[in-house]
Amino acid sequence: MSILIFNRLPHYDVPYNQWLKELNEDLYLMTNTTYAKDFTQYAQVFAFENYDYNSAIEFQALQLYREHPYHTIIATAERDILRAARLREYLGIEGQSWESAIAFRDKVKMKSILSKAHIRVPQYARLNSAIDLYEFIQDHHYPVVVKPVDGMGSRNTTILENDRDTIRYLTKGLEHNLEVEQFIEGEMYHIDGLILYGEIVLCWPSKYLNDCLAFHEGKYLGSYLLSPQNPLTARMQEYVCSVLKAMPTPEHTSFHAEVFHTPDDELVLCEVACRTGGSRICEEYRQAFGVDLTKFSVQAQCGIPVQLPKQLQKEKKPKTQFGFVGIPPKYGTFVKGPRAEELPEWVTEYRLLAKPGQSYAGATTSVDYIVTMVVTGRTEQEVLSRIEEAVEMVNRKTEWK
């Protein structure tokens, strides 16, 4: 027997062959052409262009099943959640069901489930026509947010402030699969963690620096872990636990939730995903907690017994404070950036993703970066200051033309 893996992540973050080595099973990997060359020692690697939207991937997976039946399907990224669930249902394979997957991927369905559980979410509606948008604005007023119901990385998310914005937006025609929701005033937090054997074994909140739409203005996106003493830490943990209990949550999964903290001291859910958060959240958790969220989730789904490190079982808190930051590309051609040895030792991971000669037209999603960094410090404030210092240092040493 064998295992099928859908992959949208670089090899350095997801060495599946190492994680699953003890099973001694054939691993079949489907990934995009950018990452395929880095994955070796697999039974077969299938590389696809246009990976996010390529429907040939499912067809190829079904052909593969005829020759090499697989008993488990793994998906670690947002775009693959529905792919995997659809195939599991068709082939009768255990794992996250279609009902569970669509509840986490369809933002309208998600909000409907949570509203019935009396969990506060923004007012929302599915958009089928301009009439739906008009009625929503009449009922809830500006500003409103329009986005794909199954979007990711804040791609194609638009804030409409007035009628002029709306008319300009509608001129291009309404896309399919959209929702409109009330704009929530407040600061944005994300809460990440791990569920094993149906139990939430790790859950910790972080505060965003800038917001997920800041890339439109060329600003960086970052966040830092809240300290154990921060009064919002326990509140956020309790809140997200209630969210996950209301959802049809898989038995084994990492999760990433985004929550508004309003000026009236309310917590309002933006959305929740049954996968590891993007950017360098996974690396930040490796360093802060000694836990690889994606690894543990994948191993548990494949039947490998998983336990948290003993120290974390005793004290469920980070070793010290951490944060991460991603710097988006500018308009122009990248020339060079700083080397890792030029940065302070409190930058615990530095990745230069751009290559000399690459041309960019800014960022198209909240996770389009040329540089990512993980930063450590003794307090929230020290991490925040160091992130700002590291960003200034990288920008100063980066050349464009």
Side-chain angles (χ1 to χ4, degrees), residues 302-323:
C302 291
I304 297 175
V306 176
Q307 280 191 331
L308 295 183
K310 289 183 179 179
Q311 184 58 36
L312 189 58
Q313 291 179 37
K314 293 178 184 176
E315 296 184 30
K316 291 191 177 178
K317 64 180 184 179
K319 299 170 186 176
T320 186
Q321 296 306 117
F322 284 88

Side-chain angles (χ1 to χ4, degrees), residues 75-96:
T76 55
E78 198 83 328
R79 286 292 183 199
D80 291 324
I81 298 294
L82 292 182
R83 270 182 184 142
R86 191 180 289 115
L87 284 169
R88 288 190 198 103
E89 186 169 272
Y90 180 75
L91 297 171
I93 291 174
E94 289 187 5
Q96 185 181 20

Side-chain angles (χ1 to χ4, degrees), residues 102-301:
I102 197 69
F104 279 92
R105 290 294 289 124
D106 185 316
K107 294 175 174 56
V108 172
K109 187 173 289 290
M110 176 193 300
K111 292 182 178 69
S112 173
I113 292 169
L114 295 174
S115 295
K116 290 174 183 174
H118 307 292
I119 292 170
R120 173 91 149 81
V121 297
Q123 296 293 327
Y124 65 96
R126 198 178 293 272
L127 280 187
N128 296 309
S129 71
I131 294 174
D132 297 328
L133 182 55
Y134 176 83
E135 287 186 336
F136 189 88
I137 292 167
Q138 295 304 302
D139 290 342
H140 302 290
H141 312 296
Y142 290 111
V144 299
V145 182
V146 179
K147 57 187 177 182
V149 298
D150 59 350
M152 65 176 198
S154 301
R155 182 180 289 152
N156 299 325
T157 297
T158 304
I159 298 175
L160 305 177
E161 302 273 3
N162 49 48
D163 285 346
R164 185 173 55 190
D165 284 353
T166 302
I167 290 170
R168 187 185 302 117
Y169 177 77
L170 290 172
T171 300
K172 298 175 290 185
L174 271 181
E175 299 286 336
H176 297 294
N177 230 22
L178 292 175
E179 71 144 356
V180 59
E181 64 181 46
Q182 169 192 19
F183 179 86
I184 301 295
E185 194 72 50
E187 296 183 313
M188 178 74 87
Y189 292 76
H190 64 88
I191 301 91
D192 301 86
L194 185 66
I195 295 174
L196 296 175
Y197 311 101
E199 296 291 327
I200 300 170
V201 297
L202 179 59
C203 176
W204 204 270
S206 301
K207 186 178 188 300
Y208 274 121
L209 303 174
N210 296 324
D211 60 44
C212 294
L213 296 178
F215 69 91
H216 288 299
E217 303 170 32
K219 295 179 181 177
Y220 65 82
L221 176 67
S223 76
Y224 58 88
L225 297 173
L226 298 191
S227 71
Q229 296 77 31
N230 190 314
L232 276 178
T233 297
R235 278 187 65 190
M236 292 275 183
Q237 290 171 323
E238 184 179 351
Y239 178 80
V240 169
C241 285
S242 68
V243 167
L244 291 165
K245 286 175 183 174
M247 294 287 287
T249 305
E251 183 182 20
H252 309 294
T253 186
S254 51
F255 62 85
H256 174 72
E258 294 181 335
V259 174
F260 298 102
H261 181 223
T262 73
D264 296 329
D265 196 30
E266 267 194 297
L267 299 182
V268 182
L269 186 82
C270 177
E271 57 191 64
V272 59
C274 53
R275 46 86 182 166
T276 304
S279 189
R280 301 314 293 155
I281 290 173
C282 195
E283 177 60 29
E284 180 187 37
Y285 267 60
R286 288 187 196 112
Q287 296 187 31
F289 298 98
V291 169
D292 187 316
L293 298 174
T294 307
K295 174 185 176 181
F296 280 24
S297 171
V298 167
Q299 287 182 327
Q301 289 177 60

